[in-house]
Amino acid sequence: MSDYSVSEYRVGTGFDAHALEEGVPLVLGGVRIEHPRGLAGHSDGDVLAHALTDALLGAAGLEDIGALFPSADPALAGADSLDLLTRAWARIRNDGWQLANADVVLVGEEPRLAPHRDEMRRRLAAALDVEPKLVAVRATTTDGLGFTGRGEGLAAQAVALLVR
């Protein structure tokens, strides 16, 4: 028998979607974006942060974001999703996990993500206390198909790889 330890790796995925609503600020990846509509939700509706939170929780074998931060909790009304991400990540780190990398994809026709991508990456990484190079932020459209294609809402998908 050898005297070395083998690292443990775990992968998790997350998905979130919210309707676009007039008069609500649009927050994506912790960045407030000038847009006529924002994402409706109990918190600030940040689909990028929510999907990433769920991916991390799943990789760690924990419950989803809704179990950890229930939408029925009045104390969480209007909550900053980056704060929720930080709180979930503290729990995961306490179990000995470190982030190997994360990839977050926004699904929607607008807004254009490119002008905000670097700042989103920095803010998501800061919430996790990791280097921005460990968090990729990307976007895609559905070429007019479905609720995102019709501009009714936005969705996000994330994957995270943890190591301990």
Side-chain angles (χ1 to χ4, degrees):
M1 295 259 322
S2 63
D3 194 331
Y4 67 93
S5 64
V6 175
S7 294
E8 179 182 2
Y9 291 91
R10 300 276 301 270
V11 66
T13 63
F15 177 83
D16 194 40
H18 286 277
L20 284 162
E21 183 177 296
E22 296 285 336
V24 175
L26 179 60
V27 178
L28 292 170
V31 176
R32 189 169 175 163
I33 297 171
E34 284 301 317
H35 196 270
R37 297 181 298 158
L39 293 168
H42 186 65
S43 67
D44 61 15
D46 187 338
V47 292
L48 293 176
H50 294 175
L52 179 55
T53 302
D54 261 347
L56 293 164
L57 289 167
L62 299 172
E63 293 187 73
D64 62 31
I65 190 173
L68 199 57
F69 307 110
S71 59
D73 184 347
L76 296 174
D80 180 335
S81 295
L82 288 186
D83 179 55
L84 302 180
L85 174 60
T86 298
R87 290 167 55 187
W89 181 239
R91 184 171 175 186
I92 295 163
R93 285 184 83 171
N94 284 341
D95 287 342
W97 294 105
Q98 294 179 358
L99 182 67
N101 77 300
D103 185 17
V104 186
V105 180
L106 178 70
V107 181
E109 304 298 316
E110 58 175 46
R112 304 312 298 171
L113 199 66
H116 312 285
R117 182 187 331 270
D118 290 340
E119 184 62 22
M120 290 175 183
R121 188 177 198 179
R122 281 192 291 275
R123 289 188 186 198
L124 291 168
L128 302 174
D129 194 25
V130 300
E131 294 294 320
K133 67 181 180 183
L134 296 182
V135 180
V137 176
R138 301 179 298 122
T140 191
T141 69
T142 57
D143 294 324
L145 298 174
F147 75 94
T148 62
R150 291 187 300 270
E152 297 168 6
L154 296 173
Q157 183 174 338
V159 62
L161 179 64
L162 301 181
V163 61
R164 124 167 109 184

